[in-house]
Amino acid sequence: MDVVMPQLGETVREGTISAWRKQVGDPVGPDEPLFEVETDKVTVDVPAPAAGVLVEILVPVGERVEVGTRLAVIRVPGEAMFAMRGPGARVVTLSSARPTVPAMPVAIAEASPALDPPRTTGRITMPAIPTAIARAVGAELRLSPVVKRLIAEHHIDDPSVIPGTGAEGRITRDDVLAYVESRGAASGGGEPPAESLVPMSRIRQLTAEHMVRSLATSPHVLQAVEVDFHAVERLRGAAGEAFRAREGFSLSYLPFVARAVCQAIPEFPHVNASVRGDALVVHHRVHLGIAVDLDRQGLVVPVVKGAAGKTVRALAVEIHRLADRARRGQLAPDDLTEGTYTISNSGPFGTLITAPIIHQPQVAILSTDGVRKRPVVIERPAADGSAGGETSAGGETSAGGETSAGGETIDAIEIRPVGVLAQCFDHRAFDGAYSAAFLRRVREILEQANFEAELT
Amino acid sequence: MAELTYREAVAAGIAQEMARDDRVVMLGEDIADAGGVFKTTVGLLERFGPRRVRDTPISEQAIVGAAMGAAMTGLIPIAEIMFSDFFAVCWDMIANEIAKARYMTAGQMALPLVIRTANGAGSRFGAQHSQSVENWAMAIPGLKVVAPATPADVKGLMAAAVRDPDPVIFFEHKGLFATKGEVPDGEHVDRLGTARVLRQGSDVTLVALAAMVPRALDAAERLDREHRISATVVDVRSLVPLDTQTILAEVTRTGRMYTVEENPRLCGWGAELVSIVAEERFYDLDGPIIRITTPHVPLPAADALEDHAVPTVARIVDTVVRTAG
C-alpha cells in the first residue's frame, strides 16, 4: 500500500517531511504515527493508513513535496512477501497468521541485529521477538510518570541518551537519577559554565530563516504616526464592560486598529498586495495576519480571513479565537495561510515604536505600540468668553490634524491616550507618500472612531 | 516480652481490657464454656465469670443486636461472630443501626463496641466459612476496621478497639491463630489508623494485610535473595482509619506499589489504595500499580484449589519479578 502526502488543509499545497516515526522494516500499527509534516509553522503527525510493515521510504526527511506525492510503502500482512534488508537477508513470510515459529526467528535473527540470540543456545525464544519489536518501535521511550517528571526537572532534552536498565530497555527512575549524577560528575562540579548552548526550536529556526529572507527581499522603510485614541478610549469606556460580560474577554485597542486598517485599504489598495516579478499583485480581499507571541517561545501569524467585511466586534472575537488557538497549539494549517497584510501588536508591553519585518510575500506590516496618557495640545473653537470650559462633545480634532472649520481656535493642553502606529513597507511596491497617506487615513479613522454601531 | 500465639494474644488483649474496665463484657457463640471454637477466649469465663462472658444462641443478629443495646446502655461489649462470612446475616444491624447511631443522634449516642470475627482462608472450610470480607466492612461509613497480622498487634489493637468510642470491626485471621510472636509485657495499647513498615527496600513496595503480611515478608526475602529486587513491606493493619501518610511515603520511596490482598479482586481494599496513590502520587510512580489478590471466585474447599486461589509467596514473587523492571 502506498503512503501519500495528505491534504492537510484547504489552502495547503505542499509540506516538508520533518521526521519519519518508523524505520524501514518496522511494524506499523493502524493509526500509529508514521511521519511528521511541517507546513509553515504547524507540525502534524500523520498516522499510518493501514497496519503492516514499513518496507520502503521514498522521501527523506527535509524534503518538501506536494500533496499526493508517494512517500512510502507499507506491506499489509497477507498482501505479499516482506524482505529484510542487510547482509545475509532472507525472505520471510509474514502472510500467514501463524508464521512457522522455528523458521521465522532464525531468518529475522540473521537479518536484524536487534535480535541477539543468547550465546549459550544460539536459539531465539518466542519472548525475544516482541522484545525486539518493542525496542525497534521505540518502546524504551515509553516513560513512567516519575521518569517524565525527573526528565523535566533536570532539563534533559533528549531522554533517549539515558541508558535504560528496565524491562525491554525501559528507562527507570533510578536510571534517570544515575544519569543526572553521572552528568554532574562529568561536568566536574567546579566552576559554573560561562555560557550555555540553547538549541533553536523548529519554530525559532523557521522564524530566523523567514526574517533574514524578508529583509534580503524587501527594502524596508519605516514610517510612523502618532494617534490620539481619545475617541476609541471613550467607546471602550462606554461599551467595554458590557462587551467583556458578553464575550468573556476585554476589548483592547487592537480590533479598532484592525478595523481602521480594513477601512483604509480600499483607498490605498497597493498596501494590500504582493510583489510577483515585475508586477504587483493587488489582493481584492483583506486577509489580516495578526502576530501572536507564544509565551515567548515563538511567534506565529494566524490570519483573519475576509477581514474587510467584519465589524470591530467580529474582528475582536476572531482575533481572540485565533490567538487562543495559537497559544494552545491548536491552529490548523489553513489558519496561517493567505495573509495579505499583517499587524504586530507590542502595545501591551508599552513599547514606544517598533520597526516590524514584513511577512513575505506581503508588502507592508503595521506595528501598534503602547498607548499612554500624554499632555496633548489640541485646537478647540474659541467659545465666546468661555475658553476654559468643558470639552465639547464630538468637536475634538487631534493635535496634528486639520483645524476645525470656521471661526477662531485656541490652543489647549489636554490629557489624551496617545500611541504610535508604525508601518514598514516594501519600497519596491510603492513610495513613502503613498504609505504616509495610508497611515494618515488610518489615524483619521481611529480619531473619529465611528464604531458605536459595531460593538454589539 | 513473652511469646504468645496469635489466639492467646486475642484472649490476652480482651483480658487486659476486662481487668481494667468493669463495663467490658463479652458475648458470642461457644465463647464461654468452650473457650471459643478457635480457642481464642480460653480462660476468660473462669477469670471474669458468667455475667461478663456470655454464651449466646446461634443467632448472629441477636448477638450484634444485643451488643448494640448493651453499648447504648453504658456497657462496652465485645461481640464475636464466629466466622466473618456470617456478617452477611448481620448487615442490617451493623450497617444500618450500629454504624449510623452516632450520626443519626447528632452525637448524643455513641456505641463503644467491638465485633470480633474469624476471617480468611487456609483451613479448607469451603465457600461459606473461608472468605475474607474486610472489604465489605470497609465499604460502610461509620465503622472502623482492623485486621492485625501478629500476636503483638492483636493485643495492642484489641485494646485500642475496646477503648475507641465507636464501633470497631476486628478481623482475626483463622490462618494465623497458631502463629507465635513476642508480645510486650504489661499493659499494651496500640493506635488505630496506623500502618507499620516491616521492612524497607529500594525497588518495590508491597502493601499487605493480615495473613498476607507474612507471605509478603517471605516473598520480599526471596526477591532479595534470588532476584536482587529490594522490597519494602508495609502492614496496613487498619483499613479504617487508613494510614495514607505511611503508605504514600513508602510508595513514593520506591515508585512501585503492589497490594497483596486476600479478599476477592473486585473492589478489594487494595483498589482503594491504588486510587489514592494514583491520585496523590502519580508523578512519583515508576510503573503500573499492581494488585495481587484472590480472584473473583467463591473459595473452594479442596486444599490444592484453595491454595491456588489465595495469593502465595510464589505468586507474589513471580508477579513482582515479571513486572518490576
Side-chain angles (χ1 to χ4, degrees), chain A residues 64-311:
Chain A
R64 193 165 179 87
V65 294
E66 289 194 358
V67 169
T69 307
R70 272 179 83 217
L71 303 175
V73 179
I74 289 179
R75 193 73 78 207
V76 179
E79 186 180 65
M81 306 293 268
F82 155 53
M84 279 273 187
R85 279 141 205 277
R90 288 191 204 168
V91 171
V92 180
T93 303
L94 285 188
S95 55
S96 66
R98 291 186 172 277
T100 50
V101 174
M104 190 179 112
V106 172
I108 292 179
E110 286 176 4
S112 165
L115 258 173
D116 288 328
R119 265 175 214 182
T120 46
T121 61
R123 192 175 151 273
I124 288 165
T125 56
M126 277 302 282
I129 295 170
T131 302
I133 290 172
R135 200 180 301 147
V137 301
E140 73 270 24
L141 285 184
R142 226 166 42 177
L143 305 175
S144 72
V146 70
V147 165
K148 279 187 181 165
R149 177 169 65 76
L150 289 170
I151 283 171
E153 283 175 4
H154 293 285
H155 308 292
I156 300 168
D157 294 327
D158 179 10
S160 66
V161 301
I162 304 169
T165 63
E168 297 171 7
R170 188 181 77 87
I171 299 167
T172 66
R173 180 184 69 170
D174 291 346
D175 293 338
V176 183
L177 295 174
Y179 173 78
V180 168
E181 199 166 308
S182 71
R183 195 177 61 171
S187 69
E191 292 251 314
E195 56 191 21
S196 57
L197 200 63
V198 180
M200 282 191 181
S201 65
R202 183 75 195 152
I203 192 166
R204 186 84 257 131
Q205 291 176 35
L206 281 166
T207 305
E209 184 273 329
H210 186 90
M211 294 304 151
V212 170
R213 183 160 56 86
S214 182
L215 275 181
T217 304
S218 303
H220 281 60
V221 178
L222 172 68
Q223 283 183 330
V225 289
E226 202 175 42
V227 178
D228 181 350
F229 283 94
H230 179 68
V232 169
E233 186 58 42
R234 279 164 54 133
L235 285 178
R236 290 177 72 213
E241 207 158 301
F243 183 92
R244 189 186 169 81
R246 195 173 57 245
E247 308 292 348
F249 62 94
S250 42
L251 184 60
S252 69
Y253 292 103
L254 181 58
F256 292 97
V257 175
R259 181 71 178 126
V261 164
C262 289
Q263 286 187 350
I265 279 175
E267 296 171 47
F268 302 91
H270 291 195
V271 167
N272 191 56
S274 34
V275 174
R276 185 186 296 163
D278 291 335
L280 194 64
V281 181
V282 178
H283 305 296
H284 295 155
R285 301 189 67 205
V286 179
H287 299 313
L288 198 59
I290 304 290
V292 175
D293 174 65
L294 303 177
D295 291 331
R296 305 182 195 174
Q297 299 298 308
L299 180 70
V300 289
V301 187
V303 175
V304 178
K305 303 286 171 75
K310 294 194 188 303
T311 61

Side-chain angles (χ1 to χ4, degrees), chain B residues 92-177:
Chain B
D92 181 55
M93 189 57 67
I94 297 175
N96 280 330
E97 306 298 340
I98 290 173
K100 306 295 188 287
R102 177 189 281 278
Y103 174 76
M104 293 183 68
T105 63
Q108 296 177 77
M109 183 167 63
L111 296 182
L113 62 85
V114 177
I115 304 175
R116 299 171 41 236
T117 190
N119 194 42
S123 307
R124 294 42 172 127
F125 285 158
Q128 298 168 317
H129 296 76
S130 304
Q131 298 174 80
S132 279
V133 304
E134 62 270 19
N135 57 330
W136 294 0
M138 187 188 187
I140 299 165
L143 298 180
K144 291 174 183 172
V145 182
V146 185
T150 66
D153 283 356
V154 165
K155 185 178 180 188
L157 290 172
M158 181 68 77
V162 170
R163 297 180 193 195
D164 192 86
D166 288 301
V168 178
I169 311 295
F170 195 93
F171 287 102
E172 297 155 17
H173 199 285
K174 291 193 281 290
L176 296 175
F177 280 136

